[in-house]
Amino acid sequence: MESPTPGRRPVIVGNWKMHRTVRESVELVDRLKPLVGASGHCDIVVAPPFTALWAAARAAEGSPIAIAAQDLYWESQGAYTGEVSAGMVAEAGCRFAILGHSERRSLFGETSRAVSRKAAAALEAGLTPIVCLGETLSERESGRTETVIGTRFRQSLDGLTEDALYRTMIAYEPVWAIGTGRAATPEMAQDVHALIRGLAAEVFGRQAAEQLPILYGGSVKPENVDGLLARADIDGALVGGASLKAESFAAIVDFQV
Ligand code: 13P
């Protein structure tokens, strides 16, 4: 299967959120491996909880499945009780880090400024940051989507160089579509993805923007993934609920465009 846009390889990421113990994570990776073994057409990433990262990375060895952390802290070590550094998750076997998820922003008060520091720390540790941004329902309904996406994009990537953008991914996750069963239509998502690519071109230059993978997240299912990934600027999916079952995640990985 061809990549939807030459030069941008599709990426399917499963965000397990606060689900799966160590044992359950290993079982899920073990169940996924035979189902996605022949998937050369896209990159496959799963993000278990911190406790399961090392074991999941071990279980995924020799398979196309890469591991992501769901968050990290920007300092490398020190008196920061409860925090985990980029170097620590990299050593545990992660190659990616999901940063600035809307649940971190809304439930834990994470600011875009904090996200930019985390992205810089992730890059420094050799991880690929997957920086999430999206608008709430009231922001969309009051016609502020473009403004809030613009602000969140600039602030969350503040201080990153053009070179860093080549090692970064963006996930557009409209807050109203997360866990609601109500995904954005491919048209709605494409509009915001094109907006984000335009912002990336303004800030980092056209060439860096053209290669930037922009993933869509929010109620992605086997039934709607094809329509979303068929769109020009939708380069992959960040999947929550449907990533917790091997069969449904594998069916998403098996998307057809
Ligand atoms: P759902 O796929 O469950 O809507 O979650 C999306 C998400 O938040 C992925 O990060």
Side-chain angles (χ1 to χ4, degrees), residues 27-53:
E27 278 172 14
L28 184 46
V29 169
D30 282 343
R31 272 207 295 274
L32 267 176
K33 281 198 290 189
L35 299 178
V36 303
S39 310
H41 62 289
C42 68
D43 287 336
I44 306 164
V45 184
V46 298
F50 282 128
T51 46
L53 291 177

PDB file of all heavy atoms in Angstrom, residues 27-53:
ATOM      1  N   GLU A  27       0.547  -8.833  27.605  1.00  0.00           N
ATOM      2  CA  GLU A  27      -0.424  -9.677  26.885  1.00  0.00           C
ATOM      3  C   GLU A  27      -0.954  -8.980  25.637  1.00  0.00           C
ATOM      4  O   GLU A  27      -1.084  -9.584  24.574  1.00  0.00           O
ATOM      5  CB  GLU A  27      -1.622 -10.002  27.799  1.00  0.00           C
ATOM      6  CG  GLU A  27      -1.352 -11.153  28.748  1.00  0.00           C
ATOM      7  CD  GLU A  27      -2.477 -11.338  29.766  1.00  0.00           C
ATOM      8  OE1 GLU A  27      -3.576 -10.754  29.588  1.00  0.00           O
ATOM      9  OE2 GLU A  27      -2.236 -12.040  30.761  1.00  0.00           O
ATOM     10  N   LEU A  28      -1.238  -7.691  25.782  1.00  0.00           N
ATOM     11  CA  LEU A  28      -1.797  -6.947  24.636  1.00  0.00           C
ATOM     12  C   LEU A  28      -0.756  -6.822  23.521  1.00  0.00           C
ATOM     13  O   LEU A  28      -1.074  -7.008  22.339  1.00  0.00           O
ATOM     14  CB  LEU A  28      -2.294  -5.564  25.108  1.00  0.00           C
ATOM     15  CG  LEU A  28      -2.991  -4.658  24.105  1.00  0.00           C
ATOM     16  CD1 LEU A  28      -4.047  -5.390  23.271  1.00  0.00           C
ATOM     17  CD2 LEU A  28      -3.649  -3.465  24.827  1.00  0.00           C
ATOM     18  N   VAL A  29       0.491  -6.541  23.882  1.00  0.00           N
ATOM     19  CA  VAL A  29       1.548  -6.479  22.860  1.00  0.00           C
ATOM     20  C   VAL A  29       1.710  -7.857  22.205  1.00  0.00           C
ATOM     21  O   VAL A  29       1.805  -7.962  20.978  1.00  0.00           O
ATOM     22  CB  VAL A  29       2.888  -5.999  23.470  1.00  0.00           C
ATOM     23  CG1 VAL A  29       4.042  -6.183  22.479  1.00  0.00           C
ATOM     24  CG2 VAL A  29       2.792  -4.531  23.890  1.00  0.00           C
ATOM     25  N   ASP A  30       1.687  -8.894  23.016  1.00  0.00           N
ATOM     26  CA  ASP A  30       1.831 -10.253  22.466  1.00  0.00           C
ATOM     27  C   ASP A  30       0.692 -10.602  21.508  1.00  0.00           C
ATOM     28  O   ASP A  30       0.895 -11.300  20.520  1.00  0.00           O
ATOM     29  CB  ASP A  30       1.910 -11.285  23.598  1.00  0.00           C
ATOM     30  CG  ASP A  30       3.286 -11.318  24.246  1.00  0.00           C
ATOM     31  OD1 ASP A  30       4.245 -10.801  23.624  1.00  0.00           O
ATOM     32  OD2 ASP A  30       3.405 -11.844  25.374  1.00  0.00           O
ATOM     33  N   ARG A  31      -0.503 -10.120  21.833  1.00  0.00           N
ATOM     34  CA  ARG A  31      -1.646 -10.401  20.943  1.00  0.00           C
ATOM     35  C   ARG A  31      -1.568  -9.571  19.659  1.00  0.00           C
ATOM     36  O   ARG A  31      -1.977 -10.010  18.593  1.00  0.00           O
ATOM     37  CB  ARG A  31      -2.964 -10.110  21.669  1.00  0.00           C
ATOM     38  CG  ARG A  31      -3.473 -11.324  22.446  1.00  0.00           C
ATOM     39  CD  ARG A  31      -4.977 -11.284  22.598  1.00  0.00           C
ATOM     40  NE  ARG A  31      -5.372 -10.147  23.425  1.00  0.00           N
ATOM     41  CZ  ARG A  31      -5.422 -10.199  24.759  1.00  0.00           C
ATOM     42  NH1 ARG A  31      -5.125 -11.304  25.399  1.00  0.00           N
ATOM     43  NH2 ARG A  31      -5.788  -9.153  25.450  1.00  0.00           N
ATOM     44  N   LEU A  32      -1.020  -8.352  19.789  1.00  0.00           N
ATOM     45  CA  LEU A  32      -0.917  -7.479  18.613  1.00  0.00           C
ATOM     46  C   LEU A  32       0.119  -7.972  17.609  1.00  0.00           C
ATOM     47  O   LEU A  32      -0.079  -7.833  16.397  1.00  0.00           O
ATOM     48  CB  LEU A  32      -0.483  -6.076  19.055  1.00  0.00           C
ATOM     49  CG  LEU A  32      -1.552  -5.035  19.347  1.00  0.00           C
ATOM     50  CD1 LEU A  32      -0.871  -3.771  19.859  1.00  0.00           C
ATOM     51  CD2 LEU A  32      -2.360  -4.729  18.088  1.00  0.00           C
ATOM     52  N   LYS A  33       1.205  -8.516  18.121  1.00  0.00           N
ATOM     53  CA  LYS A  33       2.357  -8.826  17.248  1.00  0.00           C
ATOM     54  C   LYS A  33       1.978  -9.656  16.021  1.00  0.00           C
ATOM     55  O   LYS A  33       2.301  -9.242  14.902  1.00  0.00           O
ATOM     56  CB  LYS A  33       3.470  -9.508  18.057  1.00  0.00           C
ATOM     57  CG  LYS A  33       4.270  -8.518  18.869  1.00  0.00           C
ATOM     58  CD  LYS A  33       5.601  -9.063  19.330  1.00  0.00           C
ATOM     59  CE  LYS A  33       5.429 -10.130  20.388  1.00  0.00           C
ATOM     60  NZ  LYS A  33       6.730 -10.515  20.989  1.00  0.00           N
ATOM     61  N   PRO A  34       1.291 -10.795  16.179  1.00  0.00           N
ATOM     62  CA  PRO A  34       0.975 -11.563  14.964  1.00  0.00           C
ATOM     63  C   PRO A  34      -0.017 -10.837  14.058  1.00  0.00           C
ATOM     64  O   PRO A  34      -0.023 -11.056  12.847  1.00  0.00           O
ATOM     65  CB  PRO A  34       0.362 -12.867  15.511  1.00  0.00           C
ATOM     66  CG  PRO A  34      -0.046 -12.572  16.914  1.00  0.00           C
ATOM     67  CD  PRO A  34       0.867 -11.488  17.410  1.00  0.00           C
ATOM     68  N   LEU A  35      -0.825  -9.944  14.640  1.00  0.00           N
ATOM     69  CA  LEU A  35      -1.858  -9.265  13.837  1.00  0.00           C
ATOM     70  C   LEU A  35      -1.280  -8.134  12.986  1.00  0.00           C
ATOM     71  O   LEU A  35      -1.842  -7.792  11.954  1.00  0.00           O
ATOM     72  CB  LEU A  35      -2.963  -8.697  14.754  1.00  0.00           C
ATOM     73  CG  LEU A  35      -3.731  -9.707  15.601  1.00  0.00           C
ATOM     74  CD1 LEU A  35      -4.764  -9.012  16.484  1.00  0.00           C
ATOM     75  CD2 LEU A  35      -4.447 -10.718  14.685  1.00  0.00           C
ATOM     76  N   VAL A  36      -0.178  -7.528  13.446  1.00  0.00           N
ATOM     77  CA  VAL A  36       0.380  -6.386  12.700  1.00  0.00           C
ATOM     78  C   VAL A  36       1.736  -6.717  12.086  1.00  0.00           C
ATOM     79  O   VAL A  36       2.389  -5.835  11.529  1.00  0.00           O
ATOM     80  CB  VAL A  36       0.503  -5.112  13.582  1.00  0.00           C
ATOM     81  CG1 VAL A  36      -0.846  -4.726  14.162  1.00  0.00           C
ATOM     82  CG2 VAL A  36       1.527  -5.302  14.699  1.00  0.00           C
ATOM     83  N   GLY A  37       2.120  -7.991  12.185  1.00  0.00           N
ATOM     84  CA  GLY A  37       3.465  -8.394  11.771  1.00  0.00           C
ATOM     85  C   GLY A  37       3.833  -8.016  10.358  1.00  0.00           C
ATOM     86  O   GLY A  37       4.979  -7.670  10.074  1.00  0.00           O
ATOM     87  N   ALA A  38       2.849  -8.032   9.462  1.00  0.00           N
ATOM     88  CA  ALA A  38       3.159  -7.792   8.049  1.00  0.00           C
ATOM     89  C   ALA A  38       2.829  -6.364   7.619  1.00  0.00           C
ATOM     90  O   ALA A  38       2.708  -6.070   6.443  1.00  0.00           O
ATOM     91  CB  ALA A  38       2.369  -8.785   7.192  1.00  0.00           C
ATOM     92  N   SER A  39       2.669  -5.456   8.587  1.00  0.00           N
ATOM     93  CA  SER A  39       2.227  -4.097   8.250  1.00  0.00           C
ATOM     94  C   SER A  39       3.409  -3.195   7.926  1.00  0.00           C
ATOM     95  O   SER A  39       3.814  -2.392   8.754  1.00  0.00           O
ATOM     96  CB  SER A  39       1.436  -3.511   9.419  1.00  0.00           C
ATOM     97  OG  SER A  39       0.442  -4.398   9.837  1.00  0.00           O
ATOM     98  N   GLY A  40       3.909  -3.308   6.701  1.00  0.00           N
ATOM     99  CA  GLY A  40       5.049  -2.477   6.326  1.00  0.00           C
ATOM    100  C   GLY A  40       4.647  -1.093   5.854  1.00  0.00           C
ATOM    101  O   GLY A  40       5.493  -0.243   5.603  1.00  0.00           O
ATOM    102  N   HIS A  41       3.339  -0.833   5.737  1.00  0.00           N
ATOM    103  CA  HIS A  41       2.873   0.407   5.107  1.00  0.00           C
ATOM    104  C   HIS A  41       2.804   1.578   6.077  1.00  0.00           C
ATOM    105  O   HIS A  41       2.574   2.704   5.671  1.00  0.00           O
ATOM    106  CB  HIS A  41       1.489   0.190   4.510  1.00  0.00           C
ATOM    107  CG  HIS A  41       0.472  -0.173   5.546  1.00  0.00           C
ATOM    108  ND1 HIS A  41       0.471  -1.388   6.174  1.00  0.00           N
ATOM    109  CD2 HIS A  41      -0.550   0.540   6.091  1.00  0.00           C
ATOM    110  CE1 HIS A  41      -0.521  -1.418   7.060  1.00  0.00           C
ATOM    111  NE2 HIS A  41      -1.146  -0.258   7.027  1.00  0.00           N
ATOM    112  N   CYS A  42       2.935   1.308   7.393  1.00  0.00           N
ATOM    113  CA  CYS A  42       2.834   2.420   8.346  1.00  0.00           C
ATOM    114  C   CYS A  42       3.683   2.119   9.582  1.00  0.00           C
ATOM    115  O   CYS A  42       4.080   0.983   9.810  1.00  0.00           O
ATOM    116  CB  CYS A  42       1.387   2.663   8.760  1.00  0.00           C
ATOM    117  SG  CYS A  42       0.663   1.361   9.762  1.00  0.00           S
ATOM    118  N   ASP A  43       3.940   3.179  10.351  1.00  0.00           N
ATOM    119  CA  ASP A  43       4.599   3.003  11.644  1.00  0.00           C
ATOM    120  C   ASP A  43       3.531   2.729  12.698  1.00  0.00           C
ATOM    121  O   ASP A  43       2.444   3.311  12.652  1.00  0.00           O
ATOM    122  CB  ASP A  43       5.395   4.257  12.008  1.00  0.00           C
ATOM    123  CG  ASP A  43       6.657   4.388  11.162  1.00  0.00           C
ATOM    124  OD1 ASP A  43       7.140   3.356  10.653  1.00  0.00           O
ATOM    125  OD2 ASP A  43       7.132   5.524  10.988  1.00  0.00           O
ATOM    126  N   ILE A  44       3.852   1.852  13.642  1.00  0.00           N
ATOM    127  CA  ILE A  44       2.895   1.435  14.670  1.00  0.00           C
ATOM    128  C   ILE A  44       3.510   1.733  16.040  1.00  0.00           C
ATOM    129  O   ILE A  44       4.636   1.306  16.326  1.00  0.00           O
ATOM    130  CB  ILE A  44       2.604  -0.075  14.561  1.00  0.00           C
ATOM    131  CG1 ILE A  44       2.148  -0.429  13.141  1.00  0.00           C
ATOM    132  CG2 ILE A  44       1.563  -0.503  15.598  1.00  0.00           C
ATOM    133  CD1 ILE A  44       2.200  -1.908  12.834  1.00  0.00           C
ATOM    134  N   VAL A  45       2.761   2.448  16.856  1.00  0.00           N
ATOM    135  CA  VAL A  45       3.265   2.863  18.170  1.00  0.00           C
ATOM    136  C   VAL A  45       2.180   2.611  19.200  1.00  0.00           C
ATOM    137  O   VAL A  45       1.002   2.870  18.927  1.00  0.00           O
ATOM    138  CB  VAL A  45       3.614   4.380  18.165  1.00  0.00           C
ATOM    139  CG1 VAL A  45       4.222   4.802  19.491  1.00  0.00           C
ATOM    140  CG2 VAL A  45       4.542   4.744  17.010  1.00  0.00           C
ATOM    141  N   VAL A  46       2.554   2.093  20.377  1.00  0.00           N
ATOM    142  CA  VAL A  46       1.586   2.015  21.477  1.00  0.00           C
ATOM    143  C   VAL A  46       2.170   2.700  22.718  1.00  0.00           C
ATOM    144  O   VAL A  46       3.382   2.689  22.943  1.00  0.00           O
ATOM    145  CB  VAL A  46       1.165   0.561  21.825  1.00  0.00           C
ATOM    146  CG1 VAL A  46       0.475  -0.094  20.639  1.00  0.00           C
ATOM    147  CG2 VAL A  46       2.328  -0.281  22.319  1.00  0.00           C
ATOM    148  N   ALA A  47       1.278   3.298  23.501  1.00  0.00           N
ATOM    149  CA  ALA A  47       1.691   4.068  24.677  1.00  0.00           C
ATOM    150  C   ALA A  47       1.054   3.494  25.940  1.00  0.00           C
ATOM    151  O   ALA A  47      -0.058   3.897  26.323  1.00  0.00           O
ATOM    152  CB  ALA A  47       1.302   5.534  24.501  1.00  0.00           C
ATOM    153  N   PRO A  48       1.712   2.537  26.583  1.00  0.00           N
ATOM    154  CA  PRO A  48       1.210   2.006  27.855  1.00  0.00           C
ATOM    155  C   PRO A  48       1.499   2.983  29.002  1.00  0.00           C
ATOM    156  O   PRO A  48       2.238   3.945  28.830  1.00  0.00           O
ATOM    157  CB  PRO A  48       2.038   0.714  28.047  1.00  0.00           C
ATOM    158  CG  PRO A  48       2.811   0.510  26.779  1.00  0.00           C
ATOM    159  CD  PRO A  48       2.930   1.862  26.137  1.00  0.00           C
ATOM    160  N   PRO A  49       0.929   2.729  30.182  1.00  0.00           N
ATOM    161  CA  PRO A  49       1.291   3.534  31.359  1.00  0.00           C
ATOM    162  C   PRO A  49       2.791   3.389  31.688  1.00  0.00           C
ATOM    163  O   PRO A  49       3.422   2.407  31.280  1.00  0.00           O
ATOM    164  CB  PRO A  49       0.439   2.927  32.482  1.00  0.00           C
ATOM    165  CG  PRO A  49      -0.647   2.175  31.794  1.00  0.00           C
ATOM    166  CD  PRO A  49      -0.080   1.714  30.497  1.00  0.00           C
ATOM    167  N   PHE A  50       3.326   4.337  32.440  1.00  0.00           N
ATOM    168  CA  PHE A  50       4.767   4.331  32.783  1.00  0.00           C
ATOM    169  C   PHE A  50       5.242   2.982  33.317  1.00  0.00           C
ATOM    170  O   PHE A  50       6.306   2.508  32.953  1.00  0.00           O
ATOM    171  CB  PHE A  50       5.061   5.381  33.867  1.00  0.00           C
ATOM    172  CG  PHE A  50       5.137   6.791  33.352  1.00  0.00           C
ATOM    173  CD1 PHE A  50       4.374   7.792  33.949  1.00  0.00           C
ATOM    174  CD2 PHE A  50       5.967   7.138  32.307  1.00  0.00           C
ATOM    175  CE1 PHE A  50       4.445   9.107  33.494  1.00  0.00           C
ATOM    176  CE2 PHE A  50       6.052   8.450  31.845  1.00  0.00           C
ATOM    177  CZ  PHE A  50       5.287   9.433  32.440  1.00  0.00           C
ATOM    178  N   THR A  51       4.439   2.409  34.228  1.00  0.00           N
ATOM    179  CA  THR A  51       4.877   1.184  34.905  1.00  0.00           C
ATOM    180  C   THR A  51       5.144   0.045  33.920  1.00  0.00           C
ATOM    181  O   THR A  51       5.948  -0.846  34.207  1.00  0.00           O
ATOM    182  CB  THR A  51       3.815   0.710  35.914  1.00  0.00           C
ATOM    183  OG1 THR A  51       2.544   0.776  35.272  1.00  0.00           O
ATOM    184  CG2 THR A  51       3.820   1.564  37.169  1.00  0.00           C
ATOM    185  N   ALA A  52       4.454   0.062  32.788  1.00  0.00           N
ATOM    186  CA  ALA A  52       4.534  -1.063  31.854  1.00  0.00           C
ATOM    187  C   ALA A  52       5.468  -0.792  30.673  1.00  0.00           C
ATOM    188  O   ALA A  52       5.618  -1.656  29.800  1.00  0.00           O
ATOM    189  CB  ALA A  52       3.136  -1.406  31.338  1.00  0.00           C
ATOM    190  N   LEU A  53       6.115   0.384  30.630  1.00  0.00           N
ATOM    191  CA  LEU A  53       6.893   0.739  29.431  1.00  0.00           C
ATOM    192  C   LEU A  53       8.006  -0.268  29.153  1.00  0.00           C
ATOM    193  O   LEU A  53       8.172  -0.744  28.024  1.00  0.00           O
ATOM    194  CB  LEU A  53       7.491   2.149  29.572  1.00  0.00           C
ATOM    195  CG  LEU A  53       6.476   3.299  29.541  1.00  0.00           C
ATOM    196  CD1 LEU A  53       7.185   4.627  29.764  1.00  0.00           C
ATOM    197  CD2 LEU A  53       5.713   3.324  28.223  1.00  0.00           C
TER     198      LEU A  53
END
